[in-house]
Amino acid sequence: MERTSLYAYIIFTGNDDFPLDVVTERLGVQPTKTWKVGERAVPNHPINHFLRSYTAWHFEIETKETPNTDEVLRPLLEVFESKTDIINQLKEELNLNVHLELVIQIYNGFTPGLVIYPEFSRFAAEINAFLDVDMYVYPFNETDE
């Protein structure tokens, strides 16, 4: 049975020629994935129109089965909160945008509470990033009677 789960990530985008290795080196964090504009979004797919439309440096917190948003936002905060100055320098020097993302996958109506604690809000404000919340609601499973 699928259970309601959440994950969160931070992503750097904006300048399609920015050096991904510089972001990695300056942050001291290995991304969970990166891509350059023009790369195939789906490797080995026979149709070439699935090409990346932008360059990105992406760090994702693993998916957790939980109704508590803090269980995925707090680990992201723990990794990046001390790096706000570096993030802002990278944004300025490389002309980047930074976005924070919370993804909620809802199964069988088990909806988590959407709580954003002040520490996370403060971090988002310090790096001038918005928090995008994506929700995917899947159909209820009917029980056999």
Side-chain angles (χ1 to χ4, degrees):
M1 175 172 89
E2 298 284 349
R3 297 183 154 217
T4 294
S5 58
L6 298 93
Y7 66 94
Y9 62 87
I10 186 170
I11 186 167
F12 292 74
T13 63
N15 169 358
D16 289 332
D17 290 326
F18 76 89
L20 297 166
D21 57 333
V22 168
V23 176
T24 301
E25 181 182 314
R26 297 267 300 276
L27 289 173
V29 175
Q30 284 297 317
T32 51
K33 56 185 147 180
T34 61
W35 60 85
K36 288 292 230 172
V37 66
E39 287 182 0
R40 286 181 177 222
V42 182
N44 302 320
H45 196 280
I47 302 172
N48 282 335
H49 71 269
F50 292 111
L51 300 179
R52 298 284 188 183
S53 60
Y54 58 95
T55 296
W57 186 100
H58 178 113
F59 180 87
E60 185 172 306
I61 298 301
E62 70 181 40
T63 301
K64 297 191 183 211
E65 289 182 357
T66 179
N68 184 352
T69 57
D70 203 41
E71 286 191 38
V72 294
L73 294 178
R74 184 153 310 274
L76 195 63
L77 183 65
E78 288 170 357
V79 173
F80 291 98
E81 184 178 34
S82 65
K83 302 173 187 314
T84 55
D85 289 340
I86 296 167
I87 292 169
N88 287 327
Q89 290 166 1
L90 286 166
K91 286 175 63 175
E92 179 72 23
E93 292 169 18
L94 302 175
N95 193 28
L96 300 178
N97 298 311
V98 178
H99 306 258
L100 300 164
E101 184 87 25
L102 172 63
V103 180
I104 302 171
Q105 299 168 319
I106 300 171
Y107 292 91
N108 292 315
F110 294 112
T111 308
L114 184 55
V115 178
I116 310 298
Y117 288 94
E119 299 86 0
F120 196 86
S121 298
R122 192 170 21 261
F123 168 67
E126 286 176 2
I127 62 171
N128 196 30
F130 62 81
L131 174 62
D132 185 17
V133 179
D134 286 346
M135 285 191 223
Y136 300 94
V137 181
Y138 298 99
F140 286 78
N141 289 332
E142 304 264 338
T143 57
D144 294 332
E145 292 187 30

